[in-house]
Amino acid sequence: MLKKVISLFICFAAAFTLTVSSFAQSGGAEVEAASSIPLYLKYYYDQIGKDGQEFFLKMREAVINCEGKATFSKDMINNLTEDDIQKAVELLICHDPMAFNLSGVDYDPKHLTSLILKYNYKKETYQKMVDAYEKRVDKILGKLTDDMSTYKKIKTIHDSIVNTAVYDLNAKNNGNLYGTLVNKKARCVGYAFTFDYICSKAGIRTVSVMGDGNSENQAEKHMWNKVYYNKQWYNVDVTWDDPESNFKKNLSYDYFMISDKTMFRDHTEDNMSFKTPKASDDSKAYYKMNKKYAEDLKSAKSILKSSINSASKNGTTTVTIQCASSSVYQKFFEYLQGQDVYGVLSSAKKNYNKNLVDNVYNYSPNSDQYTVTIVLFYKNTSLDKYFVDTNKLSSDMREALKANGIK
């Protein structure tokens, strides 16, 4: 039976290398955390049989404490079903942010009820890394106040992760909390596990979801989250809300608190052994909650005007609007390519901010989520205020901005 565990571990590690890395809680909390189920695991843990749950807890405790062996009773091993083993191993390898240090599992022929566990780091190194990322976690938790709504707490956690990390497929530890919060470089697994972990510490229930992200007609393995709020589940994709962009202000909410119907426009679930919770409500999606959601072209124009006016008052540089359908999105996208927007900018400049540039703007579309982000510019500012790498600007854009005092 334990040979089955090894084969499953190898299978998961080979097929889902995106999910193997993560970190554990620190110091004195280790044993308590290992013997209890954090909120980010409970939904899937409840889908495992009783014997499988006991097996999972034993193995998890050994891994968290960096023990060389995980030992089980003969009765436990004999009572395990293949489904129990499948789910227990999958939960540990693919969904547990605390299993980061596990690098391999071997069978002990001398002890038929034991597994030999191998690790990426010595326990001392591991603990230093845990302590380092825990300090960053505590800083984010420190932003959450007692009078904050749960919705705002979820948003604060989401924003803090996006504003900390940059997407980097090649960085070391990019699939765990240390890489995401300390090295500040992450891939989808790092983003998702970090969101899971911090939400759980804040008393907010989540799950990680495995599947594909379909961008520009190309599917790739991906991980995101579902979060439980007000008796409903919602999708949150922190990775795709931190888009790779040359604009500095690129925090997005295209994938924040949305339903499966909206999410599945460009995502596909493939959670293997576990059933994921259904997310059927779109009423808490960010753009709807903040009145940036247009049902038709007329409302899109109205929202654009009020948003540009508000942005110019505050000196902010980005405005994002979401359309209700593909047809509305196409009409709005065509509108943005016309001349009318310059009139909106000119009015905002006259009435709210004389430094607003009214003859140059930029926009970035997401055709899958029907959103458009408009970038505004202000005179007497620097290109560095807007762009990560100014060398990537076209000569025409550079000259247009230079003519307006932006160098």
Side-chain angles (χ1 to χ4, degrees):
M1 192 65 79
L2 291 185
K3 289 183 179 179
K4 178 73 173 178
V5 175
I6 297 170
S7 66
L8 282 170
F9 177 87
I10 294 171
C11 177
F12 288 135
F16 300 100
T17 53
L18 79 163
T19 63
V20 173
S21 296
S22 145
F23 281 109
Q25 288 184 336
S26 61
E30 285 180 359
V31 175
E32 179 184 353
S35 60
S36 61
I37 295 300
L39 292 176
Y40 55 77
L41 291 181
K42 182 169 172 50
Y43 190 88
Y44 296 149
Y45 177 80
D46 288 345
Q47 297 178 36
I48 305 175
K50 183 177 179 181
D51 293 310
Q53 289 178 345
E54 187 179 356
F55 172 75
F56 171 77
L57 288 173
K58 283 280 187 180
M59 190 169 182
R60 184 171 190 259
E61 184 171 358
V63 169
I64 288 173
N65 292 324
C66 300
E67 296 173 5
K69 285 185 179 181
T71 302
F72 314 94
S73 69
K74 289 182 180 180
D75 287 343
M76 183 196 301
I77 297 300
N78 291 335
N79 289 335
L80 284 174
T81 66
E82 287 199 5
D83 184 64
D84 286 337
I85 295 176
Q86 175 91 12
K87 288 181 176 177
V89 174
E90 186 177 324
L91 186 59
L92 184 69
I93 301 296
C94 298
H95 296 286
D96 194 344
M98 300 182 76
F100 99 96
N101 205 23
L102 184 64
S103 64
V105 177
D106 205 352
Y107 180 64
D108 187 348
K110 296 181 180 179
H111 301 280
L112 301 181
T113 57
S114 295
L115 289 172
I116 298 172
L117 305 175
K118 302 175 183 178
Y119 299 99
N120 293 305
Y121 300 103
K122 293 181 179 179
K123 187 171 184 177
E124 294 77 11
T125 302
Y126 159 84
Q127 192 61 60
K128 288 179 181 179
M129 298 171 83
V130 169
D131 291 342
Y133 83 66
E134 281 289 351
K135 290 179 181 178
R136 306 300 172 91
V137 170
D138 287 343
K139 284 187 177 181
I140 295 174
L141 291 172
K143 299 177 183 179
L144 311 182
T145 60
D146 292 340
D147 60 347
M148 241 185 217
S149 67
T150 300
Y151 186 92
K152 190 171 183 180
K153 288 179 180 179
I154 296 169
K155 180 180 176 294
T156 300
I157 295 168
H158 166 279
D159 293 358
S160 296
I161 297 170
V162 171
N163 290 328
T164 296
V166 295
Y167 186 79
D168 191 330
L169 273 177
N170 301 311
K172 188 177 180 181
N173 291 311
N174 62 5
N176 57 54
L177 279 92
Y178 183 84
T180 304
L181 297 179
V182 180
N183 292 340
K184 301 182 180 181
K185 295 179 180 180
R187 52 193 168 112
C188 60
V189 186
Y191 283 103
F193 279 172
T194 303
F195 184 79
D196 267 340
Y197 189 81
I198 300 176
C199 281
S200 183
K201 281 205 160 188
I204 300 166
R205 192 173 176 184
T206 64
V207 296
S208 55
V209 181
M210 297 179 66
D212 290 329
N214 306 295
S215 177
E216 298 178 353
N217 296 319
Q218 291 186 336
E220 58 183 16
K221 291 297 178 185
H222 189 49
M223 179 181 278
W224 65 95
N225 303 93
K226 286 187 173 180
V227 59
Y228 191 68
Y229 167 71
N230 199 24
K231 298 182 180 180
Q232 297 269 8
W233 286 95
Y234 298 88
N235 289 280
V236 175
D237 190 339
V238 186
T239 308
W240 281 24
D241 275 346
D242 189 10
E244 294 181 271
S245 168
N246 196 29
F247 290 111
K248 283 187 174 179
K249 301 293 184 180
N250 67 338
L251 172 60
S252 167
Y253 298 100
D254 290 8
Y255 302 92
F256 184 74
M257 303 295 282
I258 61 177
S259 69
D260 288 341
K261 182 179 179 181
T262 303
M263 192 72 170
F264 293 166
R265 291 174 186 167
D266 48 17
H267 288 64
T268 305
E269 284 187 2
D270 181 18
N271 230 40
M272 298 185 295
S273 302
F274 294 104
K275 294 179 180 179
T276 58
K278 301 300 180 184
S280 58
D281 180 36
D282 256 327
S283 67
K284 306 305 179 187
Y286 177 84
Y287 300 116
K288 284 190 174 182
M289 291 282 284
N290 289 273
K291 299 181 180 180
K292 306 293 183 183
Y293 186 83
E295 295 284 355
D296 50 37
L297 180 58
K298 182 179 180 180
S299 62
K301 292 178 182 179
S302 176
I303 293 168
L304 176 66
K305 182 177 180 179
S306 63
S307 297
I308 288 177
N309 288 343
S310 178
S312 63
K313 285 181 186 178
N314 300 321
T316 52
T317 59
T318 59
V319 168
T320 301
I321 297 169
Q322 185 174 46
C323 299
S325 66
S326 177
S327 61
V328 175
Y329 167 80
Q330 289 296 333
K331 291 175 183 177
F332 184 53
F333 189 71
E334 290 170 6
Y335 170 77
L336 289 174
Q337 298 175 65
Q339 297 297 311
D340 290 355
V341 180
Y342 296 110
V344 176
L345 291 169
S346 179
S347 175
K349 177 180 179 178
K350 179 181 178 180
N351 295 314
Y352 301 106
N353 192 330
K354 64 181 181 180
N355 288 320
L356 178 68
V357 174
D358 61 357
N359 61 348
V360 182
Y361 68 97
N362 208 330
Y363 54 89
S364 176
N366 181 345
S367 59
D368 292 317
Q369 294 301 323
Y370 313 146
T371 62
V372 182
T373 297
I374 296 93
V375 180
L376 308 177
F377 300 97
Y378 297 87
K379 291 183 178 180
N380 304 317
T381 55
S382 167
L383 290 173
D384 292 335
K385 175 182 175 67
Y386 308 95
F387 303 104
V388 176
D389 185 354
T390 58
N391 293 321
K392 292 182 178 180
L393 294 177
S394 68
S395 57
D396 289 344
M397 174 63 76
R398 187 182 290 273
E399 287 302 315
L401 292 174
K402 183 178 180 181
N404 287 280
I406 304 169
K407 302 179 182 178

